[in-house]
Amino acid sequence: MENCIFCRIAAGQAPARMLFDDGEVLAFYDIAPRAPVHVLVIPRLHIPSLAHAQANHRELLGTLLLAVQRAARETGVAEAFRVVTNSGAAAGQSVFHLHFHLLGGRTMAWPPG
Ligand code: 5GP
Ligand code: ZN
């Protein structure tokens, strides 16, 4: 997906401040952080959103959430963090490559806007 910014980051064709890349899953810092810690966890595989995930992605989805946990540990927020995925433009999705936002380092309000 040559015009997908996250595919371009995964391919090393666009810059990102990388936290880790285990081959299947990458974690990198959001370019416009909404919290002191704001990391995006993505699969290397292009899946447009959670709404597009299929039963054959079951293991990958688990791997992604464990990668969020790893990112929370590695950024020092494992004690309290929020995980968000926006699915669909009306839900706030702006990059149509599945990603989980890891937010931490401040008190979170509920419900989100
Ligand atoms: P969404 O709005 O789809 O839920 O989240 C997309 C996120 O990607 C936003 O928080 C936005 O700041 C971030 N983002 C967009 N383009 C880039 C980029 O080129 N590099 C990085 N590191 N983050 C990006
Ligand atoms: Zn993509």
Side-chain angles (χ1 to χ4, degrees):
M1 300 295 281
E2 64 190 28
N3 55 4
C4 169
I5 182 61
F6 288 177
C7 281
R8 287 174 50 76
I9 287 172
Q13 293 165 356
R17 186 179 158 213
M18 201 63 60
L19 184 60
F20 59 79
D21 175 355
D22 77 3
E24 192 177 21
V25 165
L26 303 90
F28 55 88
Y29 287 88
D30 196 291
I31 203 170
R34 302 304 186 111
V37 171
H38 188 172
V39 169
L40 301 172
V41 175
I42 74 165
R44 183 162 258 107
L45 180 70
H46 181 89
I47 300 170
S49 76
L50 189 56
H52 294 79
Q54 305 285 327
N56 61 303
H57 299 131
R58 182 185 308 272
E59 193 171 333
L60 177 58
L61 292 170
T63 299
L64 283 163
L65 284 178
L66 288 171
V68 172
Q69 181 203 69
R70 175 181 168 187
R73 267 202 315 272
E74 292 189 4
T75 56
V77 300
E79 197 173 315
F81 60 89
R82 181 168 291 172
V83 187
V84 173
T85 191
N86 299 318
S87 188
Q93 188 176 8
S94 60
V95 175
F96 292 84
H97 179 130
L98 176 63
H99 53 281
F100 291 97
H101 297 258
L102 164 67
L103 298 152
R106 65 166 167 80
T107 301
M108 301 287 163
W110 189 262

